C-alpha cells in the first residue's frame, strides 16, 4: 500500500480579486482544520507565491550555496544584531552537529539587519520578494486558523501583531554519506507555524501515529506545519508536528523554511477559549516567547550531552 500523503489544500478562493466563493472558502477551512487535528502538516497550492518565483529562489540559493566557502563567508553574520535573535547571514552547521546542512538566514528586510550575498546579483531582490509574499500568505493562513478554531476574525493577528520576529532560511542539505543520512534531526518548530518549499530531492518526513510519512515534493506547493506556539495557544488541540529531513545519496537537497513567529516580548499561554472556556485546565505555564527562543538557540550553540536535556515545549508543560 502506498504511504499516506499529507493533505493538499487549494487557497485560491482566499486570493480571489472578487472576494472568492464562500462555499469554497468553507471547504478549505474544513480541510485545514482536519489536517491540523490529524497531522499538524499540510500543503497549500494557489497560496499567493508565484511558482516561477519559488523556482527562481531555489535555483539562486543552489547557485550561492555551491560557491567556494570564501565567497559564501562574505555573507557571514556581521556580529551586530538584536541580540535575542538568530544572526542573519550564511552559516554552516558545525562538523560535529547531527544536522548536516548549511543555510542563509534572513530577518525581515525592514529591520536592516540582513547580510546579503553580492552574488548572484538578483538573489537579494528575490529573497526579499519571497519573504514579503510569505508574510502575506501567513496572514491569510492566520485568518483561516481563526475560523478553524472558532475565534473572532483577526484574533490571532491581534494576539501577536508584530511581524518583526519572522525569519527565513534558504537551506542546502549535503548528499548522504555511507555512515549517515540525517539532514535535520527530528524536531518540532518553536514558532506559530512554518512554511517550507523544496526542490524535487525529497527527504522531508512527518511523524504520524508512530510512522514517518514522506512529504512528496509537489512543484509550486508550500508545506505548512503547526508549531509550538500554536500548540500552546490551543492548549494541545492543534499539535506541533514532529518532522525531520533524511538525506539522499548522490545529491544535495535545497529548500526554504519560513518561520511565522510571535513577537519575542509576547507572553505566551494557552488561550482562555481553550482552557476555562471549555472547562479544561491549561496544559502549559506562560512564558515570554523570546525566553523559549533563547533556550532553543542554546540547544544548538551548546548541545546538551543527554538528548533528554534538549529544551522543547515540554519544558513549560504543566
Ligand atoms: O528543509 C526542510 O524541509 C525542513 C526545515 C525544517 O524543518 C526547519 O528548518 O525547521
Ligand atoms: Fe522544522
Amino acid at each position: 500500500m502506498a504511504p499516506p500523503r499529507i493533505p493538499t489544500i487549494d487557497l485560491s478562493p482566499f486570493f480571489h480579486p472578487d472576494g472568492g466563493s464562500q462555499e469554497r472558502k468553507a471547504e478549505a477551512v474544513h480541510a485545514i482544520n482536519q489536517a491540523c487535528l490529524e497531522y499538524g502538516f499540510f500543503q497549500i497550492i494557489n497560496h499567493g507565491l508565484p511558482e516561477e518565483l519559488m523556482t527562481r529562489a531555489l535555483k539562486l540559493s543552489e547557485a550561492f550555496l555551491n560557491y567556494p566557502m570564501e565567497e559564501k563567508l562574505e555573507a557571514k553574520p556581521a556580529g551586530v544584531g538584536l541580540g535575542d535573535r538568530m544572526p542573519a547571514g550564511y552559516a554552516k552547521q558545525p562538523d560535529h552537529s547531527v544536522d548536516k546542512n548549511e543555510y542563509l538566514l534572513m530577518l525581515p528586510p525592514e529591520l536592516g539587519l540582513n547580510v546579503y550575498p553580492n552574488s548572484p546579483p538578483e538573489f537579494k531582490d528575490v529573497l526579499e520578494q519571497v519573504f514579503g509574499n510569505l508574510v502575506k500568505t501567513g496572514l491569510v493562513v492566520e485568518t483561516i486558523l481563526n475560523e478553524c478554531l472558532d475565534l473572532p476574525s483577526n484574533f490571532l493577528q491581534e494576539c501577536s501583531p508584530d511581524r518583526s520576529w519572522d525569519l527565513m532560511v534558504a537551506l542546502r542539505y549535503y548528499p548522504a554519506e555511507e555512515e549517515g543520512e540525517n539532514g535535520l534531526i527530528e524536531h518540532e518548530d518553536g514558532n506559530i507555524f512554518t512554511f517550507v518549499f523544496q526542490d524535487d530531492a525529497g527527504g522531508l518526513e512527518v511523524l504520524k501515529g508512530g510512522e514517518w510519512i514522506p512529504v512528496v515534493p509537489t512543484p509550486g506547493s508550500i508545506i505548512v506545519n503547526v508549531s509550538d506556539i500554536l500548540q500552546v495557544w490551543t492548549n494541545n488541540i492543534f499539535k506541533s508536528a514532529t518532522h525531520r529531513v533524511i538525506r539522499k545519496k548522490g545529491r544535495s537537497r535545497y529548500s526554504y523554511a519560513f518561520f511565522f513567529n510571535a513577537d519575542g516580548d509576547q507572553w505566551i499561554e494557552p488561550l482562555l477559549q481553550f482552557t476555562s472556556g471549555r472547562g479544561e485546565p491549561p496544559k502549559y505555564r506562560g512564558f515570554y516567547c523570546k525566553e523559549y527562543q533563547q533556550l532553543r538557540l542554546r540547544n544548538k550553540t551548546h548541545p546538551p550531552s543527554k538528548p533528554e536535556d534538549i529544551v522543547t515545549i515540554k519544558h513549560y508543560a504543566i
Side-chain angles (χ1 to χ4, degrees):
M1 209 173 70
R5 292 180 82 136
I6 62 164
T8 297
I9 295 129
D10 181 356
L11 293 195
S12 54
F14 295 92
F15 288 91
H16 201 280
D18 302 329
S21 133
Q22 288 311 321
E23 201 182 324
R24 290 193 54 218
K25 281 185 177 168
E27 276 170 26
V29 168
H30 177 75
I32 289 184
N33 191 40
Q34 279 307 111
C36 288
L37 293 170
E38 271 181 49
Y39 291 82
F41 238 76
F42 53 97
Q43 298 199 93
I44 50 177
I45 52 171
N46 300 316
H47 36 58
L49 183 62
E51 184 172 342
E52 176 271 331
L53 183 61
M54 297 165 80
T55 310
R56 214 141 59 92
L58 284 165
K59 285 276 162 257
L60 288 166
S61 63
E62 173 173 354
F64 169 70
L65 293 166
N66 276 290
Y67 287 165
M69 187 53 89
E70 317 82 81
E71 245 177 281
K72 288 187 281 197
L73 286 175
E74 285 172 15
K76 75 172 188 301
V80 289
L82 294 183
D84 306 320
R85 306 175 195 219
M86 299 271 289
Y90 167 78
K92 178 180 182 299
Q93 302 286 359
D95 289 342
H96 61 265
S97 170
V98 287
D99 296 330
K100 303 291 177 201
N101 58 60
E102 60 181 339
Y103 57 87
L104 181 74
L105 187 144
M106 187 183 162
L107 300 169
E110 57 279 11
L111 297 181
L113 294 169
N114 284 324
V115 185
Y116 294 104
N118 291 324
S119 178
E122 67 278 36
F123 196 20
K124 171 176 187 271
D125 183 46
V126 166
L127 286 168
E128 291 192 345
Q129 282 185 50
V130 171
F131 200 104
N133 270 277
L134 289 177
V135 169
K136 286 192 199 139
T137 304
L139 294 170
V140 172
V141 168
E142 274 198 318
T143 300
I144 296 173
L145 292 172
N146 286 329
E147 280 206 44
C148 291
L149 293 164
D150 250 338
L151 295 167
S153 56
N154 268 332
F155 188 90
L156 291 177
Q157 286 88 339
E158 283 162 17
C159 264
S160 186
D162 178 3
R163 296 262 49 82
S164 73
W165 289 74
D166 295 339
L167 61 90
M168 183 166 92
V169 278
L171 288 144
R172 173 203 189 178
Y173 298 86
Y174 308 111
E177 302 123 41
E178 286 312 318
E179 66 281 10
E181 55 168 18
N182 180 61
L184 188 57
I185 199 85
E186 68 175 84
H187 67 283
E188 296 84 34
D189 294 347
N191 47 306
I192 305 177
F193 54 79
T194 307
F195 291 142
V196 170
F197 62 94
Q198 53 177 337
D199 68 5
D200 61 355
L204 176 61
E205 299 183 345
V206 57
L207 190 62
K208 180 173 187 282
E211 292 205 25
W212 287 104
I213 301 174
V215 180
V216 179
T218 318
S221 72
I222 296 180
I223 298 141
V224 186
N225 67 271
V226 170
S227 308
D228 292 343
I229 305 285
L230 194 52
Q231 173 170 302
V232 172
W233 277 342
T234 65
N235 207 29
N236 280 3
I237 291 176
F238 285 172
K239 287 304 248 308
S240 183
T242 304
H243 53 286
R244 68 179 182 186
V245 177
I246 298 296
R247 291 178 294 149
K248 293 260 159 64
K249 287 217 170 78
R251 68 171 289 184
S252 290
R253 169 182 186 267
Y254 299 88
S255 63
Y256 277 76
F258 178 88
F259 302 92
F260 196 87
N261 204 0
D263 175 349
D265 294 315
Q266 185 79 37
W267 182 251
I268 306 291
E269 62 186 352
L271 299 171
L272 293 179
Q273 284 83 343
F274 306 108
T275 53
S276 54
R278 296 184 174 213
E280 291 281 339
K283 295 189 166 72
Y284 299 90
R285 60 191 166 89
F287 56 91
Y288 283 106
C289 187
K290 75 177 166 203
E291 173 198 294
Y292 181 44
Q293 313 286 333
Q294 278 162 3
L295 289 170
R296 289 178 60 101
L297 193 55
R298 214 182 142 73
N299 287 337
K300 299 243 178 229
T301 54
H302 300 79
S305 49
K306 289 186 276 172
E308 60 272 26
D309 292 338
I310 295 175
V311 176
T312 68
I313 201 64
K314 291 199 192 84
H315 182 70
Y316 300 105
I318 298 177

